Amino acid sequence: MKIQILGMGCPKCKQLTANAEQAVKEAGIDATVEKVSDLREIMKFGVMATPALAIDGEVKSAGRLLSPKDIAGLLRK
Amino acid sequence: MIKRLADWIVFDKMGLVPKTHFGEAVDFFIYDLMKIFLLLIVIVYAVAIIRSYFPPERARKILGGKREFGGTILAALLGIVTPVCSCSACPLFIGFVESGIPLGVSMSFLISSPTVNEVALIMLWGLFGWKVGVLYMTTGVAIAIVAGWVIGRMHLEDQIEEYVLQFRVGGGQSDVAPPTWTERHQEALDYTKGILKRVGPFVVIGIALGAVVHGYVPVDFVVRVAGRGNPFAVPIAVLIGLPLYSNAAGTIPIVQALIEKGLPLGTALALMMSIVAISIPEMIILRRVVKWKLLYIFAAVVAVAIVMIGYLFNAVLPAIQ
């Protein structure tokens, strides 16, 4: 499972990355958390609000700072 | 009500003397502190809930098909209810460009968004009455529309970075499910806490400065320097505000104190808008998608619009109030 955090380096994006890593650790699943900071790369996902989170290439949330609990919920689906 | 509580704390509990510089300054400080934080908590939460219904994707869909003039007006209004954090300015701008939304319309949105800040609006309402609140909102929208339209007429599309035009619009964000009621509440709560953390220090500093002005600056000092007699007060206020940046909430306590000391309302609003609407950090962020010439023109057009509004209000307001 590949989780990507889309954001250009503002505090929210960093926090979302930390939350994602925590959620993955707590769920104990095999997943990578990757930070995408390049604007061009981010735009390929078609999001208009950062921070955003994508799982296996699909955007699951945009413009929201998800808590580790929220992210865990997304991972389960 | 809150004033009585503040007076009780400062003059009865703390034993300070009314009408002295220090006593009045501290009284102002405590009173404003309580009042503003109460307003902040209640209103920021309410607005966060409203905003959860207006993701940027929705603004893009609404603005997509519209023609330039109507679009500029709509964009200014949408900018108010759509949450835009400074880091989303670029993706949002690109998203708008990709949908064929004209440059002027996008600019209108980007101007009204930070300027007509709901926190500022309601605080002005609470501190100066509903007329000032409405004035602030209509002014912010008017500036966004006029500046957006003027920039649109200047046909600066060549100022958009080339790579921005190469993106294709994806459906990326429209697949995301809308939040549930519990999620809305939780996020509004988190957002409110975040705002208090972020804006709080500014507000406290602003109130402290306001308290000093309130307690120590002689009543007619501001009037003498920047009152109705000085025709250059408005442009000077705007120039002062240009390099400064603060969240709108932080400027209000200072503005309140200055107005109490005789600064004309138009000049005060001009100063406030100049601090908030023209933000160097935001311009640096936008530099990634737009060239400097457009940014300079943007700052200049908005500054001129603010100056005009400042003069207009100084002329018109005494008649209304």
Side-chain angles (χ1 to χ4, degrees), chain B residues 127-185:
Chain B
L127 298 175
F128 300 115
W130 68 270
K131 285 182 192 162
V132 175
V134 170
L135 211 66
Y136 174 76
M137 197 171 82
T138 31
T139 310
V141 172
I143 288 176
I145 294 173
V146 168
W149 185 79
V150 168
I151 292 175
R153 293 284 107 227
M154 291 174 89
H155 291 297
L156 296 164
E157 283 78 11
D158 62 334
Q159 292 295 305
I160 303 177
E161 292 283 355
E162 285 80 26
Y163 75 88
V164 169
L165 303 165
Q166 288 157 19
F167 290 112
R168 287 290 136 238
V169 174
Q173 217 166 306
S174 27
D175 301 333
V176 176
T180 65
W181 182 225
T182 322
E183 284 172 341
R184 287 182 204 275
H185 161 74

Side-chain angles (χ1 to χ4, degrees), chain B residues 111-134:
Chain B
I111 293 170
S112 85
S113 193
T115 314
V116 189
N117 177 296
E118 76 285 9
V119 172
L121 166 66
I122 285 124
M123 281 173 65
L124 283 173
W125 192 308
L127 298 175
F128 300 115
W130 68 270
K131 285 182 192 162
V132 175
V134 170

Side-chain angles (χ1 to χ4, degrees), chain A residues 27-75:
Chain A
I29 51 175
D30 180 23
T32 54
V33 175
E34 179 197 342
K35 185 118 188 312
V36 180
S37 325
D38 182 68
L39 184 52
R40 282 162 238 237
E41 290 301 314
I42 293 175
M43 289 317 296
K44 286 192 187 145
F45 287 85
V47 297
M48 286 218 324
T50 57
L53 185 145
I55 299 180
D56 289 331
E58 261 185 61
V59 176
K60 293 293 176 192
S61 153
R64 295 163 59 185
L65 176 56
L66 302 171
S67 68
K69 206 172 67 157
D70 297 326
I71 301 174
L74 288 173
L75 293 174

Side-chain angles (χ1 to χ4, degrees), chain B:
Chain B
M1 205 174 54
I2 302 180
K3 179 92 170 67
R4 259 182 261 160
L5 180 58
D7 288 346
W8 178 77
I9 293 175
V10 175
F11 299 129
D12 292 336
K13 277 275 154 190
M14 288 171 72
L16 294 174
V17 182
K19 300 288 181 223
T20 57
H21 287 303
F22 188 64
E24 289 301 318
V26 177
D27 184 50
F28 177 96
F29 182 76
I30 300 285
Y31 168 57
D32 243 30
L33 204 67
M34 293 195 295
K35 185 171 64 171
I36 287 178
F37 274 99
L38 186 66
L39 282 171
L40 273 178
I41 292 171
V42 169
I43 276 88
V44 169
Y45 177 83
V47 171
I49 296 283
I50 295 174
R51 285 196 166 158
S52 71
Y53 288 96
F54 285 93
E57 187 59 42
R58 188 165 177 193
R60 180 164 79 134
K61 284 203 192 109
I62 295 175
L63 293 171
K66 305 289 181 291
R67 294 174 51 194
E68 185 149 5
F69 191 62
T72 313
I73 296 174
L74 212 52
L77 294 172
L78 281 170
I80 304 172
V81 287
T82 308
V84 180
C85 104
S86 42
C87 53
S88 327
C90 292
L92 190 138
F93 180 79
I94 295 176
F96 276 17
V97 169
E98 293 325 301
S99 299
I101 296 172
L103 182 59
V105 175
S106 299
M107 285 290 130
S108 174
F109 184 94
L110 286 177
I111 293 170
S112 85
S113 193
T115 314
V116 189
N117 177 296
E118 76 285 9
V119 172
L121 166 66
I122 285 124
M123 281 173 65
L124 283 173
W125 192 308
L127 298 175
F128 300 115
W130 68 270
K131 285 182 192 162
V132 175
V134 170
L135 211 66
Y136 174 76
M137 197 171 82
T138 31
T139 310
V141 172
I143 288 176
I145 294 173
V146 168
W149 185 79
V150 168
I151 292 175
R153 293 284 107 227
M154 291 174 89
H155 291 297
L156 296 164
E157 283 78 11
D158 62 334
Q159 292 295 305
I160 303 177
E161 292 283 355
E162 285 80 26
Y163 75 88
V164 169
L165 303 165
Q166 288 157 19
F167 290 112
R168 287 290 136 238
V169 174
Q173 217 166 306
S174 27
D175 301 333
V176 176
T180 65
W181 182 225
T182 322
E183 284 172 341
R184 287 182 204 275
H185 161 74
Q186 188 55 51
E187 278 171 27
L189 214 60
D190 291 339
Y191 177 72
T192 306
K193 279 191 234 165
I195 285 280
L196 285 175
K197 271 190 221 151
R198 208 162 45 91
V199 168
F202 277 112
V203 173
V204 173
I205 292 173
I207 296 178
L209 282 172
V212 168
V213 172
H214 176 86
Y216 290 92
V217 176
V219 167
D220 59 345
F221 173 74
V222 176
V223 174
R224 268 189 282 129
V225 171
R228 233 162 287 279
N230 182 351
F232 295 112
V234 176
I236 290 175
V238 174
L239 282 171
I240 292 176
L242 268 181
L244 299 176
Y245 175 65
S246 161
N247 186 281
T251 62
I252 289 181
I254 309 176
V255 164
Q256 178 191 16
L258 288 172
I259 287 179
E260 242 189 275
K261 293 298 170 181
L263 191 71
L265 193 50
T267 316
L269 282 177
L271 173 66
M272 188 180 144
M273 289 199 162
S274 171
I275 293 176
V276 176
I278 306 173
S279 141
I280 301 201
E282 170 117 7
M283 291 195 343
I284 292 178
I285 289 177
L286 281 174
R287 171 65 193 93
R288 287 197 221 192
V289 287
V290 147
K291 298 178 189 161
W292 274 122
K293 183 171 156 192
L294 175 52
L295 292 171
Y296 291 145
I297 292 178
F298 160 82
V301 171
V302 174
V304 168
I306 293 176
V307 168
M308 287 179 1
I309 296 273
Y311 278 126
L312 182 69
F313 283 167
N314 282 341
V316 164
L317 237 44
I320 298 180
Q321 285 182 321

